[in-house]
Amino acid sequence: MIKGTNKYEKLAETLEGFYTIETLEDRLKINRSKAIYVIHRLRKLGYVKTSYGAGKKRLYNISLRNKQKGISYTQWINGASPTASYAIVASPNDYYVHDRTPSYEESLIYAIKQKDVRYLIASLILFRKISDWSLLYNLAKKENLVSEVVALYEVARRIVKKIKKMPKRFLNLAQKKKIKKFHYIVDHISSDDFKDIENKWKVYIPLNRADLEEYTR
């Protein structure tokens, strides 16, 4: 057994969340070399998973749950995130996928189903990763989320760089499936900045431009 295992297990439990080296330094009030050592020890124990944000900056997910086999949808979404500030802290009920890698299409639907603003902000980058639009449509149709997907896609196209155009077939099918009555993605929250998209798809969007500033930097 590694000496000090209990000490670092308790530390991992306390730190639960996402960090860069700089934010870990600030959290623990230590210098850079000590922060790197802490990451090293926690990773050796299986408590750290690493992803990359904007500018290939390393983002460290510290969690006791990282010792579990498999990957959660939340981890997969965070791995696509361009910035640590949009990282989502996983809940104890987070869903893990075993023996395969989650698709970006199913991860996007998972994020919308959480009815949580943090998930929606982080998930906008997933539209850059979508490759199987037919799969996305079928998943959205199954969950009755077609209008939500298209509305969020239009928000993402305005905010996130390098998002490809949605196929016309998807848009045409979405138009046919559009619900005539307004409905919420997140209960009782609507946008001040994307009213035209809300009116077009009859979906209240719980995001404003101020929430998405990191995507434009």
Side-chain angles (χ1 to χ4, degrees):
M1 181 178 289
I2 300 172
K3 185 178 179 180
T5 294
N6 290 339
K7 170 185 174 182
Y8 283 97
E9 181 177 334
K10 291 179 180 178
L11 181 60
E13 185 177 6
T14 301
L15 290 174
E16 181 83 25
F18 290 81
Y19 299 87
T20 61
I21 286 295
E22 292 77 14
T23 58
L24 186 62
E25 290 177 44
D26 184 63
R27 171 69 184 274
L28 296 179
K29 307 301 180 187
I30 57 178
N31 61 33
R32 184 176 183 82
S33 62
K34 289 183 179 179
I36 291 172
Y37 179 74
V38 168
I39 290 293
H40 166 73
R41 291 301 298 270
L42 293 177
R43 181 187 286 114
K44 199 168 184 179
L45 292 169
Y47 299 138
V48 174
K49 289 190 176 181
T50 305
S51 57
Y52 293 86
K56 296 185 178 180
K57 193 174 187 64
R58 290 186 181 183
L59 178 64
Y60 303 101
N61 168 219
I62 301 174
S63 174
L64 296 180
R65 291 189 296 273
N66 286 335
K67 292 198 75 169
Q68 301 179 29
K69 292 183 179 180
I71 184 171
S72 71
Y73 283 123
T74 300
Q75 290 169 343
W76 194 240
I77 294 167
N78 285 331
S81 177
T83 172
S85 64
Y86 285 165
I88 311 160
V89 177
S91 73
N93 298 321
D94 200 15
Y95 187 85
Y96 277 77
V97 177
H98 298 274
D99 302 321
R100 67 181 180 88
T101 299
S103 70
Y104 291 113
E105 292 80 6
E106 64 188 282
S107 298
L108 177 61
I109 297 300
Y110 176 84
I112 297 172
K113 287 175 64 179
Q114 301 316 296
K115 296 184 177 295
D116 186 302
V117 171
R118 297 168 304 165
Y119 273 90
L120 296 176
I121 292 173
S123 72
L124 292 184
I125 194 69
L126 298 180
F127 283 106
R128 188 190 289 175
K129 307 281 188 178
I130 299 300
S131 59
D132 191 337
W133 290 95
S134 293
L135 172 61
L136 179 59
Y137 179 81
N138 289 331
L139 291 171
K141 182 181 178 182
K142 179 180 178 181
E143 300 292 343
N144 199 27
L145 292 173
V146 173
S147 294
E148 286 84 344
V149 167
V150 182
L152 289 170
Y153 162 80
E154 293 200 4
V155 172
R157 280 278 289 180
R158 294 185 186 183
I159 301 296
V160 184
K161 298 177 181 178
K162 299 180 181 180
I163 291 182
K164 297 179 181 179
K165 287 186 177 180
M166 179 180 280
K168 289 183 179 180
R169 174 175 170 75
F170 195 118
L171 287 170
N172 290 336
L173 290 171
Q175 189 67 40
K176 292 179 181 178
K177 290 287 294 183
K178 185 171 68 173
I179 300 172
K180 295 182 179 180
K181 185 178 179 180
F182 270 92
H183 57 287
Y184 290 95
I185 299 177
V186 179
D187 289 345
H188 310 302
I189 304 178
S190 62
S191 176
D192 294 324
D193 297 326
F194 302 110
K195 290 296 183 186
D196 58 324
I197 298 175
E198 288 186 337
N199 290 329
K200 180 178 180 181
W201 295 104
K202 300 295 186 287
V203 175
Y204 290 115
I205 298 168
L207 307 173
N208 288 309
R209 287 185 180 276
D211 302 318
L212 310 173
E213 288 181 349
E214 291 291 333
Y215 279 122
T216 61
R217 294 179 182 177

